[in-house]
Amino acid sequence: MKKTVFIIFLSFIYGQGFDLSGKIISKSTLNPISDVNIFIQDTELGTASSKDGLFKFSKIKPSNYVLIVSAIGYKDQYLEINLNRDLLNVSIELEDRSVLAKALSVVGRFPSKHIPYLTKNISNKDITDNDYQTMSELFRNVGGVDVQMEHNNGRNANFSIRGSSDYKPGGYNNRVLVLLDGFQISMPYSGSIDWNGMPLDFLDRIEVVKGPVSSLYGQNSMGGIINLVTKNYSEEFLNSKVTLGSFNKKDINIGMNNMHNNLSYTTLLQYKKGDGHRFNAQYEQNNFYTKVYNKEKEFSVSLMANRSLNGQPGFSVEERPTLISYRLSDRDSIYLQLFKKQNLNRNSNLVYSASINHFYTHYQDRNDTPEDENQDDTFYNDTSLNLRTEYQTLFNDRSYLIVGLDIIAEQSDISIYKDIYSNPIQLTTGIFIQNRVVLNERLLLGAGLRVDYRLIDRGDIYSNKTFSNISPKINLTYKQDSYSTWNFALSKGFRSPSLSEMFLQYATDYGLYTQGNPDLEPEQLYGLDIGYDRSNLSDISLSVSTFYYIYEDMIDFVYGLPVVARNRSDISSCGLETNIDYSLNDNLSINTSYTYLRVNDLNDVDSVLYRPKHKLVSSIKHTKGKISNIISMRYQSEQDYQDFLSDDREYVGSEIKFPIKKLDSLLLFNYISSYEFLDSKISLKVSNIFDVEYQLIQDYPMPGRLVSLTYEKSI
């Protein structure tokens, strides 16, 4: 929290006690502010300003004091006062706080338009300090978020917030919406993300909203949101970075920013290549990112293109070597985004935005594939068009309103559908309204409502599928004191079935035939969230949150003849999340995050898989001069999975009951050291220091100890 320091040096005059008075006004309007809380730190003295913005303390002992000035809708201020006169009068100007006024400056539909206490921000400094090199690695170290994957640079990665999503061979349940600068970037066919193409090096921050946000973002956001926010640079630079590491890892990044008159031009070129930690886990990526924007942040155009070749390693079972995969996936991803904000007046904006995403994925065999392992080539060709407009306005600096409309059109040309469906088209329309109101000096009320309609056209032979939903949300923020804030939220989320869940038909390499279900119903979620935040100046900050969710008609792939997607019985989830940041001194800091999660089938029909109950992430950072050292630890408890590769199976009607087993718990330690000199930085990173063997997915061994060395230079 930024401190504003007023130091007043006056001559010392002794007496029995002194008076301190003053007036509080708005810096932007110069009008007096009523009901402002004024506390004297380390004392029990406190008061509130009158309707004219006036306050007064009487008969205070002479000393140095710190005034804490706090009001909802304005930035807190800390004023150092040397009280040594009979009457000391001060004038205090409060700046509008980002919770309302600065909301008019956001780009796109950022989660920050919601109550900020619901949003976890991962800063660029967090990313660079920990030398995160992939999105999978980053989010595995975020409390409340779980990642299942083949390997860090693998094609298939499933992200889950508070147990909302899971992995099951045969399909991914993607209930987390991922945005790039507020634009949806999921693939139409499955709702999954091409994580390989995301520009980690040019991110300003990552916003993570935990819990259902369908009231603003519609379907696929029932489990939460991950918003990747790119930087807007204010100066020119040229930056290069080279990383060498285990398994022949080579990363090269070149970035630059130029400025001309009112415009800035940012460009990133990136090349990644590595052999992977096991057979057919190799990868090669080429990324290009560019962005043009004006200084007022009222206009931007960005383009991102990614070409990646990934091995699909398959299952690693010693007694069944035929489960090794020889498949390769070659993918092109393109994202074009346009944003324009029009200022109608000081308090109102119109926002227009459009984006086009295109994905082409080609699956093929390696050149050394045994003849009896050859498979036909397949492709997935997905395109989506996103249009959105919003009206944003601020009423009397106390109420912030958003009204908007978005339209998403998607088309999928998929080779395995050729004999069944003709290029399915999905059309989604959503109308939403959001409002936040300052009720008084302690209470902030937020409410939202969205109506969605989704149409799926499967061609001339089959009838259309339609889904509709209404998603409300209400939240209340209570500011207990200058340090403490409580937040309460009630919300509803939903997700309509994906094309893969409704229409997928293919035979797996491990002997199961998978079939979608066109009769699936949308999933519904009803959630309660309670959060508490406390910050004591710059030394320590604490956040605690708890939640209870009920899922109706959750979609899952049920093993049988064939494996089929079905709506499951009702599922409940509840949990607790804590995070503590503590600075022992200017050189040493500690961060600890703990998550408890419990997910149950309310009718005890089937186990809920791939949801570890406990997760603990902690790090210690020491900085001295130009040298920084970080030791981090991550613990994850065991998790259930269904061993569909086992010969021990039970047939119940058309369903197959495979044995439920457990993936072992894991405890991993990492070390990062960096040294800055001149305009350069060199970093050494050792992941999984003790070379622990572990799995995140059944029979997918993760890498052991990894070492990388990075050199970065800026001009």
Side-chain angles (χ1 to χ4, degrees):
M1 187 178 294
K2 186 177 179 181
K3 299 180 181 178
T4 303
V5 182
F6 290 84
I7 303 178
I8 304 175
F9 296 98
L10 299 171
S11 60
F12 186 84
I13 302 176
Y14 285 101
Q16 296 298 317
F18 301 104
D19 293 339
L20 170 64
S21 61
K23 183 175 184 179
I24 302 176
I25 62 175
S26 168
K27 186 174 182 179
S28 59
T29 65
L30 300 182
N31 293 326
I33 307 174
S34 62
D35 300 322
V36 177
N37 295 315
I38 305 102
F39 301 93
I40 299 180
Q41 188 175 344
D42 300 326
T43 74
E44 297 181 354
L45 299 177
T47 186
S49 62
S50 68
K51 65 178 181 178
D52 297 319
L54 302 175
F55 70 93
K56 184 176 181 179
F57 294 97
S58 300
K59 296 184 178 181
I60 305 174
K61 293 181 180 181
S63 183
N64 294 324
Y65 295 99
V66 175
L67 285 186
I68 303 172
V69 184
S70 172
I72 287 183
Y74 299 90
K75 289 184 178 180
D76 292 351
Q77 285 200 18
Y78 297 81
L79 285 71
E80 294 184 6
I81 299 295
N82 182 4
L83 189 59
N84 50 25
R85 292 195 56 141
D86 291 334
L87 181 62
L88 183 63
N89 189 279
V90 296
S91 178
I92 303 174
E93 297 182 357
L94 293 186
E95 295 184 20
D96 292 340
R97 191 177 172 188
S98 59
V99 69
L100 286 180
K102 286 195 173 181
L104 290 173
S105 299
V106 299
V107 177
R109 288 186 306 170
F110 286 176
S112 53
K113 290 184 179 179
H114 279 273
I115 304 304
Y117 309 109
L118 293 175
T119 305
K120 174 178 177 58
N121 286 302
I122 304 167
S123 67
N124 178 265
K125 181 174 176 55
D126 294 330
I127 297 172
T128 56
D129 284 353
N130 290 279
D131 194 21
Y132 292 129
Q133 297 171 13
T134 67
M135 288 291 180
S136 297
E137 178 191 16
L138 187 157
F139 281 102
R140 287 173 67 192
N141 291 281
V142 175
V145 181
D146 190 32
V147 182
Q148 280 98 28
M149 61 182 185
E150 298 171 342
H151 54 91
N152 278 338
N153 289 279
R155 178 73 73 209
N156 297 324
N158 190 54
F159 287 59
S160 177
I161 296 179
R162 292 181 170 176
S164 60
S165 307
D166 63 23
Y167 169 85
K168 178 178 283 189
Y172 289 85
N173 303 117
N174 295 283
R175 302 184 179 96
V176 176
L177 181 65
V178 181
L179 310 171
L180 177 64
D181 283 335
F183 294 90
Q184 179 175 312
I185 55 174
S186 55
M187 289 184 279
Y189 164 66
S190 63
S192 59
I193 303 300
D194 185 12
W195 288 108
N196 290 329
M198 297 300 103
L200 259 177
D201 292 87
F202 269 12
L203 291 182
D204 176 69
R205 66 187 184 278
I206 299 175
E207 298 177 336
V208 182
V209 178
K210 301 174 182 179
V213 204
S214 296
S215 63
L216 180 57
Y217 297 93
Q219 75 138 15
N220 289 345
S221 62
M222 65 183 297
I225 292 171
I226 296 173
N227 185 33
L228 312 174
V229 184
T230 58
K231 288 184 177 181
N232 289 329
Y233 294 96
S234 58
E235 59 184 23
E236 296 185 343
F237 71 89
L238 175 63
N239 175 274
S240 61
K241 185 169 73 171
V242 177
T243 301
L244 302 177
S246 304
F247 303 108
N248 201 26
K249 173 185 176 68
K250 302 181 184 70
D251 292 1
I252 301 174
N253 294 269
I254 299 176
M256 54 187 253
N257 186 72
N258 293 321
M259 305 181 68
H260 179 70
N261 295 331
N262 194 39
L263 293 179
S264 291
Y265 310 85
T266 301
T267 301
L268 169 68
L269 297 173
Q270 184 179 66
Y271 175 76
K272 290 186 173 185
K273 186 175 183 180
D275 294 336
H277 68 287
R278 63 190 182 100
F279 176 75
N280 204 32
Q282 73 280 1
Y283 61 92
E284 184 174 2
Q285 303 170 19
N286 294 273
N287 298 328
F288 170 77
Y289 172 78
T290 186
K291 182 178 180 181
V292 180
Y293 52 94
N294 64 355
K295 294 180 180 179
E296 292 78 17
K297 301 178 183 179
E298 295 176 343
F299 168 80
S300 69
V301 178
S302 64
L303 172 67
M304 185 166 65
N306 168 263
R307 178 79 182 270
S308 60
L309 179 66
N310 284 72
Q312 306 290 104
F315 298 93
S316 179
V317 183
E318 185 175 349
E319 59 271 19
R320 297 181 64 182
T322 56
L323 294 178
I324 294 176
S325 172
Y326 293 84
R327 296 291 275 178
L328 300 173
S329 65
D330 190 352
R331 176 177 290 162
D332 294 324
S333 302
I334 299 175
Y335 312 83
L336 176 63
Q337 303 177 343
L338 300 95
F339 168 83
K340 178 68 173 71
K341 182 176 70 175
Q342 179 181 351
N343 294 316
L344 301 179
N345 52 52
R346 177 182 175 272
N347 292 327
S348 300
N349 298 325
L350 270 179
V351 175
Y352 312 94
S353 56
S355 67
I356 298 176
N357 304 329
H358 178 73
F359 311 92
Y360 182 85
T361 308
H362 178 213
Y363 289 90
Q364 57 191 312
D365 291 330
R366 291 166 52 117
N367 293 330
D368 60 350
T369 304
E371 186 174 346
D372 59 350
E373 296 285 342
N374 284 326
Q375 300 182 47
D376 294 334
D377 288 6
T378 59
F379 68 83
Y380 297 78
N381 191 2
D382 288 306
T383 303
S384 64
L385 171 65
N386 301 262
L387 303 173
R388 182 175 65 250
T389 184
E390 294 179 11
Y391 172 72
Q392 309 169 353
T393 188
L394 188 67
F395 297 103
N396 300 321
D397 292 335
R398 300 183 69 85
S399 176
Y400 178 44
L401 176 70
I402 304 174
V403 180
L405 165 71
D406 59 26
I407 300 173
I408 303 175
E410 304 166 307
Q411 183 173 37
S412 300
D413 180 10
I414 302 172
S415 60
I416 62 174
Y417 283 176
K418 285 297 184 182
D419 298 331
I420 308 171
Y421 307 110
S422 175
N423 299 346
I425 296 174
Q426 302 176 90
L427 181 65
T428 304
T429 302
I431 301 173
F432 54 89
I433 181 170
Q434 309 286 312
N435 191 26
R436 279 183 286 168
V437 182
V438 177
L439 300 179
N440 56 43
E441 73 278 3
R442 295 185 183 272
L443 291 177
L444 181 65
L445 176 67
L449 182 69
R450 179 179 169 112
V451 179
D452 280 278
Y453 177 81
R454 186 172 178 86
L455 168 69
I456 301 176
D457 184 349
R458 293 180 284 168
D460 298 332
I461 300 177
Y462 298 91
S463 61
N464 295 339
K465 298 286 297 182
T466 59
F467 304 99
S468 60
N469 196 80
I470 299 176
S471 304
K473 181 168 188 171
I474 185 168
N475 50 262
L476 184 68
T477 298
Y478 171 69
K479 190 162 185 177
Q480 180 176 329
D481 53 42
S482 299
Y483 300 131
S484 306
T485 303
W486 290 86
N487 189 79
F488 307 86
L490 287 170
S491 51
K492 177 189 175 186
F494 93 103
R495 183 180 76 96
S496 62
S498 66
L499 292 180
S500 61
E501 291 165 329
M502 288 190 292
F503 310 129
L504 180 67
Q505 296 189 23
Y506 78 102
T508 67
D509 299 336
Y510 37 88
L512 293 177
Y513 181 75
T514 303
Q515 178 176 308
N517 180 3
D519 297 323
L520 290 172
E521 295 294 329
E523 301 175 324
Q524 310 285 336
L525 182 152
Y526 300 89
L528 167 66
D529 291 89
I530 301 175
Y532 172 76
D533 287 85
R534 181 173 177 84
S535 176
N536 289 350
L537 301 179
S538 60
D539 296 332
I540 187 169
S541 63
L542 165 71
S543 66
V544 180
S545 61
T546 184
F547 59 92
Y548 181 75
Y549 301 151
I550 293 181
Y551 296 83
E552 292 183 356
D553 296 320
M554 177 179 278
I555 299 172
D556 196 5
F557 279 83
V558 179
Y559 291 118
L561 301 173
V563 177
V564 65
R566 293 182 182 173
N567 289 109
R568 290 188 54 159
S569 57
D570 294 343
I571 305 295
S572 71
S573 69
C574 62
L576 175 73
E577 297 175 5
T578 64
N579 188 83
I580 300 175
D581 288 294
Y582 179 52
S583 297
L584 283 76
N585 51 53
D586 292 339
N587 299 325
L588 189 62
S589 61
I590 300 174
N591 172 264
T592 300
S593 173
Y594 168 73
T595 302
Y596 169 75
L597 173 69
R598 188 179 68 188
V599 184
N600 293 320
D601 187 326
L602 293 177
N603 297 316
D604 293 325
V605 176
D606 290 302
S607 298
V608 183
L609 307 177
Y610 288 104
R611 267 84 167 188
K613 283 189 176 181
H614 306 279
K615 180 178 180 180
L616 177 65
V617 179
S618 185
S619 64
I620 300 176
K621 180 181 178 181
H622 180 265
T623 303
K624 186 174 182 180
K626 302 290 186 178
I627 300 176
S628 172
N629 293 280
I630 299 176
I631 297 177
S632 63
M633 176 273 289
R634 179 165 55 89
Y635 168 78
Q636 184 171 292
S637 62
E638 61 186 14
Q639 50 186 312
D640 292 335
Y641 72 94
Q642 197 169 10
D643 186 6
F644 61 92
L645 299 178
S646 173
D647 293 329
D648 182 12
R649 60 184 70 181
E650 178 184 353
Y651 292 88
V652 181
S654 62
E655 291 189 22
I656 303 175
K657 298 293 185 179
F658 291 101
I660 301 297
K661 297 184 178 180
K662 292 184 181 294
L663 290 178
D664 293 336
S665 61
L666 62 92
L667 177 62
L668 304 177
F669 289 86
N670 306 312
Y671 170 71
I672 304 105
S673 178
S674 63
Y675 172 62
E676 298 183 25
F677 56 99
L678 300 177
D679 295 322
S680 301
K681 178 181 178 181
I682 187 168
S683 303
L684 172 67
K685 181 174 183 177
V686 183
S687 301
N688 193 359
I689 295 174
F690 300 108
D691 201 19
V692 175
E693 295 182 3
Y694 68 101
Q695 299 177 12
L696 296 177
I697 300 176
Q698 173 192 359
D699 297 310
Y700 273 77
M702 293 292 108
R705 184 185 302 112
L706 299 174
V707 180
S708 64
L709 186 66
T710 300
Y711 174 75
E712 182 176 3
K713 183 175 180 59
S714 298
I715 300 177

